[in-house]
Amino acid sequence: MEFTTARGEQRYAALVRAAAETVVGLDFDGTLSPIVDDPAQAHIHPDAGRVLTDLAAQVRAVAVITGRPARQALDLGGLEEVGNAIGETGKDLYLFGQYGNERWSSTHRRVIGPRPPAGLATFERELPRALRRVGAGDAWIEDKGLAVAVHTRRLPDAEAAFDRLLPALRELAAAHDLHVEPGKAVIEVRSPGVHKGQAVRTLAEELDAGGFLFAGDDLGDLEAFDAVRELGEAGLSTLLVCSSSEEESALIDLADVVVKGPDGVLELLEQLADDAASIRA
């Protein structure tokens, strides 16, 4: 791991001391699973289940906070099985899907979520014409139920297509009172007012957290970073972790620790579990 400042190293040491009261929040894509061309193949890192189970024994709770639909994350992550293993430690695994619109836990094993936002169906009907207008008619449209994601990764010159598409989708989304969330070669359109920062605050409040670690990799994690920073200002021990890649660097300057992708995230979490166990021994 690479601490961005001496203060980051100090924050890690404080978090280790507060581990028993700490909630660990983790993004899915790019953090627990690699970024791949086909999101349906973004399976969780093979070591994640073991590492998360070991970590859960040392912290208050582990939570996955993702833009993916909860059921999709459960399947790709094998999270129901991970939840079973974490349950044996006496702890819970929490999952917030679609930026916090959906909730699941290893204790209450039912996905709870709202109806699709007003305007989304009309937006989706008008979307193909908007894509053609900016020369991105072959972009892949993913219907998430509560959101629509437009992927440019498979297009020729995906970055240029993304840049053309973003203002067009912002205009169309605004006409239907919807929110636009840019990511890595993907633009997601969903209802306004719900984001990962709210999920962080909910977990901190409901679990009476004394510390909070959040690891993410792209723009969709900015609100979570902001929420964790606010918790730190309120007196909690906090640590912000950037899972870096060649595609995205937006979080590097905001993070306390920078690691290389899912491998680096899991190495850090494994180290945290070991250091916390040593203090408690």
Side-chain angles (χ1 to χ4, degrees):
M1 74 180 91
E2 178 184 344
F3 292 103
T4 56
T5 64
R7 195 170 188 179
E9 193 165 1
Q10 293 166 2
R11 286 177 174 165
Y12 175 81
L15 195 80
V16 169
R17 294 192 294 271
E21 301 175 344
T22 292
V23 176
V24 175
L26 305 162
D27 177 37
F28 190 86
D29 292 277
T31 301
L32 288 177
S33 72
I35 297 294
V36 294
D37 287 343
D38 182 357
Q41 299 301 316
H43 296 284
I44 199 169
H45 191 287
D47 293 336
R50 173 186 58 79
V51 172
L52 295 183
T53 301
D54 290 346
L55 177 65
Q58 304 300 328
V59 299
R60 179 148 296 173
V62 176
V64 176
I65 305 173
T66 176
R68 283 184 179 271
R71 178 49 58 186
Q72 190 180 83
L74 285 167
D75 293 342
L76 288 173
L79 295 181
E80 293 192 88
E81 291 79 8
V82 176
N84 289 338
I86 288 178
E88 293 178 1
T89 72
K91 304 295 179 64
D92 276 332
L93 174 66
Y94 295 86
L95 171 64
F96 285 73
Q98 302 216 40
Y99 295 88
N101 274 300
E102 298 178 323
R103 291 188 62 169
W104 175 95
S105 75
S106 53
T107 298
H108 304 288
R109 291 175 172 263
R110 185 167 66 91
V111 174
I112 300 171
R115 295 179 179 179
L120 188 64
T122 305
F123 170 88
E124 195 165 2
R125 285 196 300 270
E126 297 174 0
L127 180 57
R129 189 191 320 168
L131 297 181
R132 291 193 297 269
R133 192 167 63 246
V134 296
D138 291 331
W140 176 40
I141 301 173
E142 180 186 7
D143 186 344
K144 293 187 170 185
L146 299 179
V148 174
V150 180
H151 298 263
T152 64
R153 186 177 301 277
R154 301 176 186 176
L155 296 177
D157 199 348
E159 185 174 346
F162 181 96
D163 291 341
R164 293 195 310 272
L165 190 53
L166 184 56
L169 290 192
R170 280 184 168 144
E171 180 180 354
L172 182 58
H176 298 288
D177 297 320
L178 298 169
H179 174 77
V180 173
E181 187 77 62
K184 289 181 180 177
V186 61
I187 302 166
E188 184 161 313
V189 178
R190 53 187 171 84
S191 59
V194 178
H195 51 70
K196 292 184 180 183
Q198 289 181 319
V200 167
R201 295 184 186 98
T202 296
L203 283 163
E205 181 177 352
E206 291 184 359
L207 299 176
D208 192 23
F212 210 107
L213 179 153
F214 185 83
D217 73 314
D218 67 10
L219 292 170
D221 299 309
L222 281 174
E223 288 93 345
F225 266 47
D226 288 342
V228 172
R229 190 177 303 108
E230 290 172 7
L231 293 174
E233 292 170 355
L236 274 68
S237 298
T238 62
L239 194 73
L240 291 170
V241 181
C242 172
S243 175
S244 67
S245 72
E246 295 179 357
E247 294 187 6
E248 185 62 70
S249 60
L251 301 181
I252 289 178
D253 292 338
L254 304 175
D256 300 310
V257 186
V258 178
V259 298
K260 292 184 178 180
D263 284 334
V265 170
L266 293 175
E267 287 175 8
L268 182 149
L269 298 180
E270 196 164 27
Q271 186 66 55
L272 174 60
D274 289 346
D275 290 343
S278 296
I279 285 182
R280 296 175 67 176

